[in-house]
Amino acid sequence: MSLEAAQRYAWNLACTLKVIIILIRTDEGYAAMASDDYDGDVDHVVREYDVFAQ
């Protein structure tokens, strides 16, 4: 997935599910997932989307 598409998808997930979503860099592009589900290398995290953060 491209960076732009992944960013939109991650923000949409965060707003819809009301959980913290992270955007990670993979070998195939970018991916979005719940931060609780990620147990990989923190260096791959590009951004964190938290709808409750001010």
Side-chain angles (χ1 to χ4, degrees):
M1 180 180 317
S2 71
L3 177 58
E4 183 178 344
Q7 288 172 323
R8 284 188 301 226
Y9 180 62
W11 179 247
N12 188 333
L13 276 177
C15 291
T16 303
L17 300 175
K18 304 293 188 215
V19 298
I20 299 171
I21 300 294
I22 59 170
L23 182 64
I24 59 170
R25 185 179 57 249
T26 68
D27 293 335
E28 291 82 33
Y30 295 89
M33 64 185 340
S35 64
D36 290 343
D37 294 337
Y38 185 67
D39 59 356
D41 188 357
V42 293
D43 292 335
H44 292 252
V45 175
V46 175
R47 179 145 187 221
E48 183 178 272
Y49 295 88
D50 183 356
V51 295
F52 300 109
Q54 295 289 337

